[in-house]
Amino acid sequence: MPLKKEKTVFLYNGQKKKNQQAQYAVADITTGDRDLQQCADAVIRLRAEYLFSKKNNTPFAFTDFEGKEYRWNGGHNRQQFNSYLANVFGWCGSASLEKQLKKVNSITEMQPGDVFVKGGFQGHAVIVVDMAANEKGQKVFMLAQGYMPAQDIHVLVNPLDAEGDPWYHLTGAEKIYTPEWTFSKEQLRRW
């Protein structure tokens, strides 16, 4: 994921986000100029961009809350892809994302690309963008989010780390505290 040199998070309208303490880094991915790419949409965007970049023409789809599919049938036309994403962002959100994804049995099975999601109106979603393990098998993970109103996708700091480190320790803890939301370990989902 390309990152910006500066770590200021901007809203879709060019204004700075009020809370500038939540991010460790900011993705160099456009948010657009409409209030569309919010939290679940940022997760969808990262997944879609990953699949689009594969250039293997494999179709993929996202579903709205009623189960209607919004399918990308392949191709590499960026303008059409951006229009497709805008449509998906308009119809899909945290509630539909929670329904579409499969529950991960145990947080210890976490993988990059997994999503913590609390569906609802107001819900939230963050994506696991990286993981690492040391020689003892202890694992850490990194999270990214978008938020409301639509804003730059950003890598989160771990609010429990006094130095603002972005790594979260994978433990048996019941809760995952992010700077702006708290998730339970049962809210981990996978595509």
Side-chain angles (χ1 to χ4, degrees):
M1 177 170 67
L3 299 175
K4 294 182 179 181
K5 291 186 191 304
E6 293 190 21
K7 67 174 210 169
T8 303
V9 173
F10 288 94
L11 306 180
Y12 70 97
N13 59 11
Q15 295 179 358
K16 289 182 181 179
K17 178 181 178 178
K18 288 182 183 176
N19 179 7
Q20 291 290 326
Q21 306 306 311
Q23 70 275 10
Y24 181 80
V26 179
D28 193 4
I29 298 172
T30 181
T31 304
D33 59 1
R34 297 175 15 199
D35 191 12
L36 288 175
Q37 186 177 286
Q38 298 179 357
C39 60
D41 307 308
V43 168
I44 289 168
R45 174 74 183 270
L46 291 177
R47 172 74 173 170
E49 289 286 353
Y50 169 75
L51 295 171
F52 183 76
S53 74
K54 292 304 212 182
K55 298 186 180 180
N56 60 8
N57 291 319
T58 302
F60 56 87
F62 300 98
T63 56
D64 66 17
F65 191 73
E66 301 299 323
K68 180 180 176 186
E69 269 194 355
Y70 298 85
R71 180 166 292 282
W72 177 253
N73 288 316
H76 301 291
N77 182 305
R78 173 50 75 173
Q79 187 175 0
Q80 289 176 351
F81 184 66
N82 288 346
S83 294
Y84 162 78
L85 288 175
N87 190 41
V88 169
F89 297 163
W91 292 103
C92 302
S94 62
S96 62
L97 189 62
E98 184 179 56
K99 281 180 75 172
Q100 181 178 359
L101 301 180
K102 297 170 184 71
K103 187 173 179 170
V104 176
N105 292 330
S106 170
I107 195 167
T108 60
E109 299 172 10
M110 180 189 293
Q111 298 174 6
D114 287 352
V115 177
F116 283 101
V117 60
K118 163 69 171 91
F121 310 97
Q122 166 152 4
H124 191 47
V126 298
I127 187 168
V128 178
V129 290
D130 201 1
M131 292 187 74
N134 65 15
E135 63 282 346
K136 296 178 184 175
Q138 297 167 320
K139 295 180 182 178
V140 291
F141 60 97
M142 195 179 290
L143 300 172
Q145 75 171 16
Y147 211 52
M148 298 184 315
Q151 58 195 249
D152 290 325
I153 298 170
H154 46 284
V155 175
L156 295 170
V157 296
N158 179 347
L160 301 181
D161 185 286
E163 306 202 8
D165 191 88
W167 293 104
Y168 290 72
H169 295 270
L170 186 57
T171 65
E174 293 295 317
K175 302 284 183 190
I176 293 81
Y177 297 95
T178 74
E180 297 172 306
W181 198 271
T182 301
F183 293 96
S184 72
K185 64 182 183 179
E186 288 79 23
Q187 292 172 319
L188 185 63
R189 302 284 190 274
R190 181 168 295 150
W191 300 99

